[in-house]
Amino acid sequence: MPTATTIRPALPTDLPAVGRLGALLVKTHHDFDSQRFIAPMPGTPQGYANYLGTQLKEERVIVLVAEREGAVVGYVYAGLEGMDYMALRGPAGAIYDVVVDPTARRQGVGRQLLDKAVENLKEKGAPQIVLSTAAKNDEAQRLFAKAGFRATMIEMTLSL
């Protein structure tokens, strides 16, 4: 039987675990397409932790962690954005990262993080929520589709 998962706001003490998961996100995307996504480096976990640490007190930002038995097994990073003429959309919530430790995948953790982020963005007044996912990340795309998201954009890259 899976262990209970708690979704809660991230704390500064969670940042090393969040940084490790952020580095996993970087590696996963780089493995999908090394020409498009940056490569993980030795300082990536600390850099990711430092960046997300700056976001914890931002009013328009949400950083939540999934915790099991005292260990962080996932996180979601999201925020409110205003009108964006580049993206041709009005104000929206945006989900930037959803990451689950490989040991906790396929147990509903990603969906719990996603649902809580959607709930928080709705409470903050987001009229819609957007997110992006790597073209080769079929598992994430299935998760997002099951949660009601639909495909609206396709990014294309030309490597020079």
Side-chain angles (χ1 to χ4, degrees), residues 40-61:
M41 299 168 32
T44 300
Q46 185 62 48
Y48 228 95
N50 289 345
Y51 172 71
L52 286 178
T54 69
Q55 301 297 290
L56 294 181
K57 292 187 179 176
E58 293 292 325
E59 186 178 319
R60 298 176 62 85
V61 171

Side-chain angles (χ1 to χ4, degrees), residues 24-48:
L24 177 63
L25 178 73
V26 171
K27 181 187 181 323
T28 300
H29 281 75
H30 184 261
D31 289 349
F32 284 143
D33 185 341
S34 63
Q35 290 184 315
R36 162 59 177 87
F37 298 103
I38 60 173
M41 299 168 32
T44 300
Q46 185 62 48
Y48 228 95

Side-chain angles (χ1 to χ4, degrees), residues 7 64 76 95 98 108-123 129 143-144 146-149:
I7 308 299
L64 305 171
V76 61
I95 296 177
V98 179
V109 175
R111 181 61 189 259
Q112 287 179 278
L113 285 163
L114 184 61
D115 288 349
K116 194 66 164 177
V118 167
E119 178 185 315
N120 277 237
L121 289 167
K122 185 176 178 181
E123 287 172 1
I129 300 172
L143 169 67
F144 301 142
K146 285 180 184 176
F149 287 82

Side-chain angles (χ1 to χ4, degrees), residues 3 5-7 17-18 20-26 28-29 48 64-68 71-77 96-115 137 139-140 143-144:
T3 305
T5 304
T6 301
I7 308 299
V18 169
R20 177 185 59 79
L21 291 167
L24 177 63
L25 178 73
V26 171
T28 300
H29 281 75
Y48 228 95
L64 305 171
V65 296
E67 182 181 54
R68 281 189 173 170
V72 171
V73 296
Y75 80 91
V76 61
Y77 167 44
Y96 309 117
D97 296 348
V98 179
V99 188
V100 177
D101 187 277
T103 64
R105 290 188 183 153
R106 297 189 173 272
Q107 299 171 31
V109 175
R111 181 61 189 259
Q112 287 179 278
L113 285 163
L114 184 61
D115 288 349
N137 196 343
E139 191 171 342
L143 169 67
F144 301 142

